[in-house]
Amino acid sequence: MMNNIRSGKLILILLLFSLATKAQDTLQLSREQAEALFLKDNLLLIAEKLNISQAEAMAMQANLWPNPSFTLDQVNFWATNAQTGGKEVIPSLGGLPTNQQFGFGIEQIILTARKRKKLVALEEVSVEKSKQYFEDLLRNLKIEFRNQLTRLQYLQFSKSIYQNQLNSIRLLTIAYKNQVEEGNVSQGEFIRLKAMELEIAKTINEFDQEVNKAQKELKVFMHLPATTHLQITDEGFLKDTEQFSQLALNDIIEQAKIHRPDYRITQLEETSYNNLHAFEKAQRIPNLTLSSAYDRGGNAMLDFVGFGVSMDLPFFNRNQGNIRHAQIGIKKSKILRKEKTLKIENEIVLSYQNLSNAVFFLDGIASDYESTLDGLLTSYTQNFIERNISMLEYLDFLEAYLENKKVILEAGKDVNEMAEELNYTVGMDLIK
């Protein structure tokens, strides 16, 4: 009986372990792999691509000719003797009965003043605008996505540093607890060490919460299952600052005018209004309607075939309002393009200065400073264990060590984020 109970407990434990493993599938990706997944599966990008297809469909529709219209009328289903005087007024034709009258006609609208071509040009600009809207969405999502990658890497690094210190402090706490029980160390020293352990553990818990938030955002970006535990490898957290020294501010501004999709949209807006103005002016000229008609027995001629043409007479409506609307749109789009140019120039100068400051600060940290810190911590820990330094000295250094590690990590994080901000303002990846 006891064996069955133990066996059942073992199966239950294995089952719970299996479910927990499935619930938290760990996915480890590099920054490049994560971005490739984002570009492939992001739902907002997929939806925005469909807008391009919609615009292309409208351009295709604008290129089509108007359909001809067919009319069948004047059909009589019977003719009385009173109407015909008992005579055969209309002879039978094929399967048609005597005195069967009908008529039909065909009409075709002819667009004048090259309206169809001008409408196609207008819709083609809409296609190009939809492509630039997609690029602008991609640009905005990309900086947000990359900053989240940087944030997750920063949190992973920070948690690792604190976790290592927590492991060391816990070993010291256990050792001090034994020493307290043996009367070799005061209770106050043990409590001070335990307080540091709890403080570090609390910080790690806060890091875990921030990691979960960053993972949530990234999983939405990459369309990953909610139960996935995401890890980003260490590569790519620190940017190569040598790339920045090769950049010239004036060249960057010119590059932005070529690659910024929101700037291209302002240019296309002006082109669109120019095309709209040409189309609306063409609307002043009436379209022609060509017609051809056949009538059997409806007039003096038994089988009548006639041709005709019709058009509106532009006495009152010469499309003045729509033309004026397009003219004002041209002026407005030129003003907005100038405003966008000024805004871009200021954004780039600001991003360039921020990146310059971040790079200057990071480069000011000696390359061996971090390894020196790690060596000092090892030395302080050993001296503390050997009672060569007091607990106060050790804990003061530990706090300084953790603070300096944080400063170094934040310096790398700032350079990464400022580099992405410059890439964003230019509209292309100048710094990779």
Side-chain angles (χ1 to χ4, degrees):
M1 179 70 175
M2 290 297 295
N3 288 337
N4 290 338
I5 293 174
R6 288 173 181 170
S7 176
K9 286 183 176 179
L10 179 61
I11 292 172
L12 180 60
I13 291 171
L14 291 173
L15 179 60
L16 291 174
F17 177 77
S18 174
L19 291 173
T21 303
K22 290 180 179 178
Q24 283 289 322
D25 294 328
T26 299
L27 179 62
Q28 190 175 69
L29 298 171
S30 66
R31 289 179 70 104
E32 291 76 13
Q33 290 171 329
E35 186 159 325
L37 199 59
F38 154 70
L39 294 174
K40 175 177 174 289
D41 291 337
N42 184 268
L43 295 178
L44 288 176
L45 292 178
I46 293 172
E48 190 67 25
K49 283 181 180 177
L50 295 177
N51 286 339
I52 300 175
S53 299
Q54 285 182 313
E56 289 173 340
M58 294 307 295
M60 179 185 68
Q61 181 65 33
N63 200 35
L64 301 178
W65 281 90
N67 288 326
S69 62
F70 174 80
T71 304
L72 176 65
D73 58 6
Q74 302 184 49
V75 179
N76 66 318
F77 294 100
W78 61 86
T80 65
N81 288 332
Q83 290 173 312
T84 64
K87 299 178 181 180
E88 182 181 291
V89 178
I90 307 174
S92 62
L93 178 66
L96 295 174
T98 301
N99 297 329
Q100 180 72 67
Q101 178 185 339
F102 66 88
F104 65 81
I106 297 177
E107 291 186 348
Q108 174 67 56
I109 296 177
I110 305 298
L111 300 178
T112 59
R114 305 174 71 186
K115 292 189 183 73
R116 187 172 64 90
K117 184 176 180 180
K118 291 170 182 176
L119 182 59
V120 169
L122 193 59
E123 293 296 341
E124 285 175 348
V125 175
S126 296
V127 173
E128 189 59 33
K129 283 170 65 176
S130 66
K131 291 178 181 179
Q132 295 304 317
Y133 280 125
F134 172 80
E135 292 296 330
D136 197 45
L137 174 65
L138 176 60
R139 184 176 70 105
N140 283 280
L141 290 179
K142 191 181 287 185
I143 186 175
E144 189 177 346
F145 174 74
R146 288 178 175 178
N147 284 345
Q148 285 292 348
L149 289 178
T150 300
R151 176 169 174 75
L152 181 55
Q153 285 180 309
Y154 167 78
L155 292 169
Q156 290 174 172
F157 281 126
S158 299
K159 180 184 174 182
S160 176
I161 292 170
Y162 276 80
Q163 188 65 57
N164 289 337
Q165 299 318 305
L166 180 62
N167 295 337
S168 298
I169 290 288
R170 279 177 174 167
L171 291 175
L172 291 174
T173 304
I174 293 172
Y176 260 68
K177 184 178 181 182
N178 295 332
Q179 292 295 313
V180 169
E181 292 172 353
E182 294 175 6
N184 299 326
V185 176
S186 68
Q187 184 76 17
E189 289 186 328
F190 169 73
I191 293 300
R192 182 72 182 87
L193 197 61
K194 187 65 178 179
M196 175 59 77
E197 176 189 333
L198 292 176
E199 186 177 336
I200 294 176
K202 178 176 178 294
T203 303
I204 291 175
N205 183 58
E206 292 171 351
F207 279 132
D208 282 333
Q209 294 177 12
E210 294 301 314
V211 164
N212 292 336
K213 290 179 183 178
Q215 286 188 7
K216 182 204 75 172
E217 298 296 331
L218 288 170
K219 285 185 286 189
V220 172
F221 273 115
M222 293 185 282
H223 195 202
L224 293 174
T227 55
T228 302
H229 182 76
L230 182 64
Q231 288 183 345
I232 303 299
T233 57
D234 299 345
E235 296 82 5
F237 179 73
L238 290 176
K239 295 284 189 183
D240 180 11
T241 56
E242 288 295 323
Q243 300 176 77
F244 177 67
S245 62
Q246 302 171 7
L247 301 177
L249 186 56
N250 290 332
D251 293 340
I252 294 174
I253 293 174
E254 292 306 313
Q255 287 291 326
K257 292 178 181 178
I258 298 173
H259 295 99
R260 278 275 293 251
D262 54 343
Y263 182 76
R264 288 282 298 123
I265 288 171
T266 61
Q267 292 177 318
L268 289 169
E269 195 71 20
E270 186 176 344
T271 303
S272 178
Y273 273 113
N274 280 318
N275 289 351
L276 179 63
H277 182 248
F279 176 73
E280 296 297 356
K281 284 177 67 177
Q283 291 288 80
R284 296 180 305 179
I285 302 173
N287 296 322
L288 298 178
T289 302
L290 302 181
S291 61
S292 175
Y294 168 78
D295 185 271
R296 182 174 186 266
N299 55 44
M301 298 177 64
L302 181 59
D303 294 303
F304 172 80
V305 177
F307 301 92
V309 61
S310 64
M311 60 179 290
D312 292 335
L313 296 177
F315 291 154
F316 308 111
N317 181 0
R318 293 182 56 81
N319 209 33
Q320 300 95 320
N322 288 332
I323 293 172
R324 181 62 178 158
H325 166 79
Q327 289 172 338
I328 295 172
I330 293 172
K331 293 179 181 179
K332 182 179 71 173
S333 62
K334 287 181 178 179
I335 294 171
L336 292 177
R337 183 163 58 86
K338 289 179 181 178
E339 189 273 341
K340 178 62 72 173
T341 301
L342 184 62
K343 185 177 180 181
I344 287 174
E345 290 173 353
N346 280 277
E347 285 178 354
I348 289 176
V349 170
L350 177 62
S351 298
Y352 186 89
Q353 290 172 340
N354 288 342
L355 179 56
S356 179
N357 293 337
V359 169
F360 179 79
F361 181 78
L362 180 63
D363 288 345
I365 301 173
S367 58
D368 60 344
Y369 180 66
E370 190 169 8
S371 59
T372 301
L373 273 177
D374 293 335
L376 281 173
L377 178 63
T378 302
S379 176
Y380 266 76
T381 303
Q382 186 62 37
N383 281 311
F384 175 63
I385 293 172
E386 295 174 359
R387 310 289 292 175
N388 294 328
I389 60 174
S390 67
M391 177 177 289
L392 183 60
E393 289 177 295
Y394 175 69
L395 293 181
D396 282 346
F397 177 78
L398 183 57
E399 288 181 0
Y401 170 83
L402 292 174
E403 186 62 30
N404 275 263
K405 279 283 194 177
K406 179 182 177 182
V407 168
I408 294 171
L409 278 177
E410 286 185 345
K413 175 173 171 283
D414 287 344
V415 168
N416 199 319
E417 291 179 345
M418 292 303 103
E420 291 303 335
E421 183 68 25
L422 184 61
N423 288 339
Y424 173 79
T425 57
V426 178
M428 62 178 295
D429 290 342
L430 288 176
I431 301 177
K432 299 181 180 180

